[in-house]
Amino acid sequence: MKLIQTIPELKALRARWRAAGERIALVPTMGNLHAGHLSLVEQVQTGADRTVVSIFVNPLQFAPGEDFDRYPRTLADDLAKLDPLAPDVVFAPSVDEIYPQGSPIATNVVVNGLVERFCGEFRAGHFVGAATVVTILLNLVQPEQAIFGEKDYQQLLVFRRMARDLHLPVEILSGPTVREANGLAMSSRNRYLSDEERASAAVLRQQLVATGRALRAGHRDFAALEQAARVQLRAAGFAPQYFNILSPELEPATSQHSDFVVLAAAVLGAARLIDNIRLDDPALAA
Ligand code: AMP
Protein backbone atom coordinates (compact mmCIF):
# COMPACT_ATOMS: atom_id res chain seq x y z
CA MET A 1 0.00 0.00 0.00
CA LYS A 2 1.58 3.23 -1.19
CA LEU A 3 0.70 6.68 0.12
CA ILE A 4 0.71 9.23 -2.72
CA GLN A 5 0.14 12.93 -2.07
CA THR A 6 1.05 14.53 -5.41
CA ILE A 7 -0.59 14.39 -8.83
CA PRO A 8 2.62 13.73 -10.84
CA GLU A 9 3.39 10.68 -8.71
CA LEU A 10 -0.17 9.39 -9.16
CA LYS A 11 -0.06 9.92 -12.92
CA ALA A 12 3.27 8.09 -13.26
CA LEU A 13 1.92 5.04 -11.44
CA ARG A 14 -1.37 5.13 -13.36
CA ALA A 15 0.56 5.19 -16.66
CA ARG A 16 2.46 2.05 -15.63
CA TRP A 17 -0.78 0.27 -14.71
CA ARG A 18 -2.41 1.32 -17.98
CA ALA A 19 0.55 0.07 -20.00
CA ALA A 20 0.15 -3.30 -18.28
CA GLY A 21 -3.59 -3.35 -19.17
CA GLU A 22 -4.67 -3.35 -15.53
CA ARG A 23 -8.18 -2.38 -14.42
CA ILE A 24 -8.33 0.38 -11.84
CA ALA A 25 -11.04 0.99 -9.22
CA LEU A 26 -11.44 4.16 -7.17
CA VAL A 27 -13.00 4.56 -3.71
CA PRO A 28 -13.39 8.30 -3.01
CA THR A 29 -13.61 9.21 0.70
CA MET A 30 -13.04 12.13 3.03
CA GLY A 31 -11.12 9.91 5.45
CA ASN A 32 -11.87 9.22 9.11
CA LEU A 33 -12.51 5.74 7.83
CA HIS A 34 -14.95 3.29 9.38
CA ALA A 35 -16.27 -0.16 8.48
CA GLY A 36 -18.59 1.38 5.83
CA HIS A 37 -15.66 2.77 3.87
CA LEU A 38 -13.69 -0.45 4.30
CA SER A 39 -16.59 -2.52 2.94
CA LEU A 40 -16.55 -0.43 -0.25
CA VAL A 41 -12.82 -1.09 -0.63
CA GLU A 42 -13.32 -4.83 -0.17
CA GLN A 43 -16.25 -4.92 -2.59
CA VAL A 44 -14.42 -3.14 -5.37
CA GLN A 45 -11.19 -5.07 -4.93
CA THR A 46 -12.88 -8.25 -6.11
CA GLY A 47 -13.32 -6.90 -9.66
CA ALA A 48 -10.22 -4.72 -10.14
CA ASP A 49 -6.51 -5.30 -10.60
CA ARG A 50 -5.62 -2.06 -8.81
CA THR A 51 -7.50 -0.17 -6.13
CA VAL A 52 -7.02 3.48 -5.24
CA VAL A 53 -8.60 4.91 -2.08
CA SER A 54 -8.69 8.69 -2.11
CA ILE A 55 -8.80 10.67 1.12
CA PHE A 56 -9.60 14.33 0.56
CA VAL A 57 -11.67 16.66 2.69
CA ASN A 58 -13.05 18.75 -0.13
CA PRO A 59 -13.69 22.39 0.85
CA LEU A 60 -16.03 22.86 -2.14
CA GLN A 61 -18.69 20.52 -0.78
CA PHE A 62 -19.09 22.15 2.63
CA ALA A 63 -21.76 24.83 2.80
CA PRO A 64 -20.91 28.10 4.59
CA GLY A 65 -20.99 27.55 8.35
CA GLU A 66 -20.62 23.76 8.08
CA ASP A 67 -17.93 21.64 9.73
CA PHE A 68 -15.08 21.91 7.18
CA ASP A 69 -12.58 23.14 9.79
CA ARG A 70 -13.47 20.59 12.45
CA TYR A 71 -14.10 17.63 10.11
CA PRO A 72 -11.94 14.81 11.55
CA ARG A 73 -8.63 14.40 9.71
CA THR A 74 -7.08 11.14 10.86
CA LEU A 75 -4.66 10.03 8.12
CA ALA A 76 -2.42 7.85 10.34
CA ASP A 77 -5.41 5.95 11.73
CA ASP A 78 -6.93 5.65 8.25
CA LEU A 79 -3.73 4.12 6.87
CA ALA A 80 -3.67 1.64 9.77
CA LYS A 81 -7.28 0.61 9.02
CA LEU A 82 -6.59 0.20 5.31
CA ASP A 83 -3.37 -1.72 5.81
CA PRO A 84 -4.98 -5.18 6.21
CA LEU A 85 -6.97 -4.66 2.98
CA ALA A 86 -3.82 -3.56 1.13
CA PRO A 87 -5.30 -1.33 -1.57
CA ASP A 88 -2.54 -0.39 -4.01
CA VAL A 89 -2.63 3.34 -3.39
CA VAL A 90 -3.99 5.78 -0.85
CA PHE A 91 -4.18 9.11 -2.67
CA ALA A 92 -4.29 11.86 -0.05
CA PRO A 93 -3.56 15.17 -1.77
CA SER A 94 -3.54 18.59 -0.09
CA VAL A 95 -6.17 21.19 -0.96
CA ASP A 96 -3.48 23.13 -2.89
CA GLU A 97 -2.65 20.04 -4.93
CA ILE A 98 -6.25 19.68 -6.11
CA TYR A 99 -7.00 23.40 -6.39
CA PRO A 100 -3.62 25.03 -7.20
CA GLN A 101 -5.46 28.06 -8.56
CA GLY A 102 -7.35 28.39 -5.25
CA SER A 103 -10.84 27.27 -4.31
CA PRO A 104 -13.58 27.77 -5.39
CA ILE A 105 -12.61 27.10 -8.99
CA ALA A 106 -14.31 28.60 -12.06
CA THR A 107 -15.71 25.30 -13.33
CA ASN A 108 -18.57 23.45 -11.66
CA VAL A 109 -20.36 20.21 -12.39
CA VAL A 110 -24.07 20.80 -11.81
CA VAL A 111 -26.59 17.99 -12.10
CA ASN A 112 -29.67 20.15 -12.50
CA GLY A 113 -32.81 19.19 -10.64
CA LEU A 114 -31.22 16.58 -8.41
CA VAL A 115 -28.80 18.91 -6.64
CA GLU A 116 -31.30 21.45 -5.34
CA ARG A 117 -33.64 19.06 -3.54
CA PHE A 118 -33.57 17.22 -0.18
CA CYS A 119 -29.99 17.52 1.11
CA GLY A 120 -29.30 20.17 -1.53
CA GLU A 121 -31.96 22.39 -0.01
CA PHE A 122 -30.24 22.32 3.38
CA ARG A 123 -26.61 22.28 2.18
CA ALA A 124 -26.09 25.06 -0.36
CA GLY A 125 -23.57 24.02 -3.00
CA HIS A 126 -22.90 20.62 -1.45
CA PHE A 127 -23.69 18.38 -4.42
CA VAL A 128 -22.09 20.73 -6.92
CA GLY A 129 -18.89 20.64 -4.85
CA ALA A 130 -19.06 16.86 -4.51
CA ALA A 131 -19.76 16.27 -8.21
CA THR A 132 -16.96 18.64 -9.17
CA VAL A 133 -14.34 16.98 -6.96
CA VAL A 134 -15.41 13.48 -8.01
CA THR A 135 -15.02 14.54 -11.64
CA ILE A 136 -11.52 15.80 -10.81
CA LEU A 137 -10.64 12.56 -9.01
CA LEU A 138 -12.01 10.46 -11.89
CA ASN A 139 -9.91 12.49 -14.33
CA LEU A 140 -6.78 12.05 -12.23
CA VAL A 141 -7.13 8.34 -11.46
CA GLN A 142 -9.01 7.34 -14.66
CA PRO A 143 -10.54 4.25 -13.09
CA GLU A 144 -12.78 1.77 -14.91
CA GLN A 145 -14.92 1.63 -11.78
CA ALA A 146 -15.74 3.92 -8.88
CA ILE A 147 -17.80 2.91 -5.86
CA PHE A 148 -20.04 4.93 -3.54
CA GLY A 149 -22.18 4.10 -0.51
CA GLU A 150 -25.95 3.70 -0.65
CA LYS A 151 -26.14 5.56 2.68
CA ASP A 152 -25.68 8.73 0.61
CA TYR A 153 -28.46 7.75 -1.78
CA GLN A 154 -29.03 11.17 -3.33
CA GLN A 155 -25.30 11.61 -3.84
CA LEU A 156 -25.13 8.21 -5.56
CA LEU A 157 -27.88 9.29 -7.97
CA VAL A 158 -26.06 12.57 -8.64
CA PHE A 159 -22.86 10.70 -9.57
CA ARG A 160 -24.72 8.13 -11.70
CA ARG A 161 -26.51 10.87 -13.59
CA MET A 162 -23.32 12.88 -14.02
CA ALA A 163 -21.46 9.84 -15.40
CA ARG A 164 -24.31 9.09 -17.80
CA ASP A 165 -24.86 12.67 -19.00
CA LEU A 166 -21.15 13.36 -19.51
CA HIS A 167 -20.35 9.92 -20.98
CA LEU A 168 -17.68 9.47 -18.35
CA PRO A 169 -15.77 6.27 -19.10
CA VAL A 170 -16.40 4.81 -15.67
CA GLU A 171 -18.84 2.34 -14.17
CA ILE A 172 -20.48 3.65 -11.01
CA LEU A 173 -20.93 0.91 -8.40
CA SER A 174 -22.62 1.09 -5.02
CA GLY A 175 -22.26 -0.69 -1.70
CA PRO A 176 -24.81 -1.32 1.06
CA THR A 177 -24.91 0.76 4.23
CA VAL A 178 -22.88 -0.59 7.11
CA ARG A 179 -24.50 0.02 10.51
CA GLU A 180 -23.71 0.09 14.19
CA ALA A 181 -25.28 -2.68 16.29
CA ASN A 182 -28.24 -0.41 17.11
CA GLY A 183 -28.94 0.27 13.44
CA LEU A 184 -27.35 3.72 13.22
CA ALA A 185 -25.65 4.13 9.84
CA MET A 186 -21.90 4.49 10.33
CA SER A 187 -20.70 7.99 9.55
CA SER A 188 -17.66 10.09 10.33
CA ARG A 189 -20.07 12.64 11.77
CA ASN A 190 -21.34 10.19 14.42
CA ARG A 191 -18.37 11.27 16.51
CA TYR A 192 -20.18 14.57 17.10
CA LEU A 193 -22.80 12.61 19.12
CA SER A 194 -22.67 12.11 22.90
CA ASP A 195 -23.16 8.54 24.18
CA GLU A 196 -26.74 9.37 25.03
CA GLU A 197 -27.40 10.88 21.59
CA ARG A 198 -25.81 7.86 19.91
CA ALA A 199 -28.43 5.67 21.60
CA SER A 200 -31.31 7.95 20.53
CA ALA A 201 -29.85 8.14 17.02
CA ALA A 202 -31.11 4.61 16.38
CA VAL A 203 -34.63 6.08 16.19
CA LEU A 204 -33.88 7.41 12.70
CA ARG A 205 -33.32 3.88 11.41
CA GLN A 206 -36.31 2.61 13.42
CA GLN A 207 -38.60 5.15 11.75
CA LEU A 208 -37.27 4.25 8.31
CA VAL A 209 -37.88 0.57 9.02
CA ALA A 210 -41.40 1.29 10.35
CA THR A 211 -42.21 3.32 7.25
CA GLY A 212 -40.72 0.67 4.97
CA ARG A 213 -42.82 -2.00 6.65
CA ALA A 214 -45.98 0.07 6.27
CA LEU A 215 -45.25 0.56 2.55
CA ARG A 216 -44.62 -3.15 2.11
CA ALA A 217 -47.91 -3.84 3.87
CA GLY A 218 -49.65 -1.71 1.24
CA HIS A 219 -50.13 1.60 3.07
CA ARG A 220 -50.24 4.43 0.55
CA ASP A 221 -51.12 7.50 2.64
CA PHE A 222 -47.60 8.85 2.15
CA ALA A 223 -48.18 12.19 3.90
CA ALA A 224 -49.55 10.48 7.03
CA LEU A 225 -46.64 8.02 7.19
CA GLU A 226 -44.11 10.86 6.78
CA GLN A 227 -45.84 12.96 9.40
CA ALA A 228 -45.95 10.08 11.90
CA ALA A 229 -42.22 9.50 11.47
CA ARG A 230 -41.41 13.19 11.94
CA VAL A 231 -43.41 13.23 15.17
CA GLN A 232 -41.46 10.23 16.49
CA LEU A 233 -38.16 11.82 15.48
CA ARG A 234 -39.01 15.04 17.30
CA ALA A 235 -40.01 13.03 20.37
CA ALA A 236 -36.57 11.40 20.33
CA GLY A 237 -34.84 14.82 20.27
CA PHE A 238 -34.21 15.13 16.54
CA ALA A 239 -34.85 18.22 14.46
CA PRO A 240 -35.99 16.55 11.22
CA GLN A 241 -35.02 18.33 8.00
CA TYR A 242 -36.93 16.02 5.71
CA PHE A 243 -38.47 12.55 5.81
CA ASN A 244 -39.88 11.72 2.40
CA ILE A 245 -41.32 8.70 0.63
CA LEU A 246 -40.13 8.87 -2.97
CA SER A 247 -39.72 6.86 -6.12
CA PRO A 248 -36.26 5.26 -6.51
CA GLU A 249 -35.41 8.18 -8.86
CA LEU A 250 -36.41 10.61 -6.07
CA GLU A 251 -39.62 11.78 -7.67
CA PRO A 252 -42.66 12.27 -5.40
CA ALA A 253 -44.22 8.89 -4.63
CA THR A 254 -47.60 8.05 -6.14
CA SER A 255 -49.81 5.01 -5.72
CA GLN A 256 -48.75 4.06 -9.28
CA HIS A 257 -45.23 3.35 -8.02
CA SER A 258 -44.42 -0.18 -6.93
CA ASP A 259 -40.99 0.61 -5.51
CA PHE A 260 -39.95 3.33 -3.09
CA VAL A 261 -37.06 4.84 -1.23
CA VAL A 262 -37.60 6.63 2.06
CA LEU A 263 -35.04 9.41 2.42
CA ALA A 264 -34.38 11.23 5.68
CA ALA A 265 -32.13 13.87 7.22
CA ALA A 266 -32.32 15.07 10.80
CA VAL A 267 -30.14 17.00 13.20
CA LEU A 268 -29.38 15.45 16.59
CA GLY A 269 -27.24 17.57 18.89
CA ALA A 270 -24.22 18.69 16.86
CA ALA A 271 -24.61 16.01 14.19
CA ARG A 272 -26.61 16.08 10.99
CA LEU A 273 -27.57 12.49 10.21
CA ILE A 274 -28.89 11.11 6.94
CA ASP A 275 -30.20 7.66 6.13
CA ASN A 276 -32.62 5.92 3.78
CA ILE A 277 -34.31 2.61 3.21
CA ARG A 278 -35.33 0.66 0.13
CA LEU A 279 -38.13 -1.87 0.19
CA ASP A 280 -35.71 -4.73 -0.46
CA ASP A 281 -33.87 -4.00 2.81
CA PRO A 282 -33.43 -7.34 4.65
CA ALA A 283 -34.82 -5.72 7.84
CA LEU A 284 -38.22 -5.43 6.15
CA ALA A 285 -38.46 -9.12 5.37
CA ALA A 286 -38.92 -10.07 9.04
P1 AMP B 1 -17.37 10.12 3.08
O1 AMP B 1 -15.99 9.86 3.59
O2 AMP B 1 -18.36 10.34 4.18
O3 AMP B 1 -17.39 11.15 1.99
O4 AMP B 1 -17.85 8.77 2.41
C1 AMP B 1 -17.07 8.15 1.41
C2 AMP B 1 -17.89 7.06 0.79
O5 AMP B 1 -18.26 6.09 1.78
C3 AMP B 1 -19.20 7.56 0.17
O6 AMP B 1 -19.43 6.88 -1.05
C4 AMP B 1 -20.22 7.18 1.22
O7 AMP B 1 -21.51 6.99 0.68
C5 AMP B 1 -19.64 5.89 1.74
N1 AMP B 1 -20.14 5.59 3.09
C6 AMP B 1 -20.22 6.45 4.13
N2 AMP B 1 -20.79 5.84 5.20
C7 AMP B 1 -21.08 4.56 4.81
C8 AMP B 1 -21.68 3.44 5.46
N3 AMP B 1 -22.09 3.49 6.72
N4 AMP B 1 -21.80 2.29 4.76
C9 AMP B 1 -21.37 2.21 3.47
N5 AMP B 1 -20.80 3.24 2.80
C10 AMP B 1 -20.66 4.40 3.46
Side-chain angles (χ1 to χ4, degrees), residues 28-30 34 36-37 40 71 148-149 151-152 155 176-178 186:
T29 82
M30 297 206 299
H34 50 63
H37 298 112
L40 297 180
Y71 196 87
F148 302 93
K151 183 190 75 102
D152 299 279
Q155 167 174 277
T177 303
V178 177
M186 288 192 183

Side-chain angles (χ1 to χ4, degrees), residues 64-143:
E66 284 189 350
D67 54 345
F68 175 69
D69 289 331
R70 68 191 173 113
Y71 196 87
R73 291 158 173 87
T74 52
L75 184 59
D77 278 0
D78 293 345
L79 295 175
K81 286 180 186 160
L82 285 169
D83 197 52
L85 301 183
D88 296 274
V89 165
V90 177
F91 178 51
S94 66
V95 171
D96 287 346
E97 190 74 12
I98 296 295
Y99 304 117
Q101 63 288 53
S103 131
I105 50 175
T107 305
N108 280 323
V109 178
V110 185
V111 181
N112 284 314
L114 259 183
V115 301
E116 297 100 28
R117 299 155 65 211
F118 311 115
C119 281
E121 201 179 308
F122 294 91
R123 306 189 66 192
H126 167 66
F127 287 121
V128 176
T132 302
V133 81
V134 166
T135 304
I136 293 170
L137 291 168
L138 292 173
N139 283 335
L140 292 173
V141 177
Q142 298 184 7

Side-chain angles (χ1 to χ4, degrees), residues 39-56:
S39 74
L40 297 180
V41 178
E42 282 183 303
Q43 186 179 327
V44 90
Q45 275 178 321
T46 58
D49 302 306
R50 300 289 184 176
T51 301
V52 177
V53 178
S54 64
I55 296 182
F56 181 62

Side-chain angles (χ1 to χ4, degrees), residues 2-15:
K2 192 171 163 59
L3 173 64
I4 292 185
Q5 297 185 285
T6 69
I7 291 171
E9 210 187 333
L10 176 73
K11 284 186 172 169
L13 190 58
R14 187 197 70 202

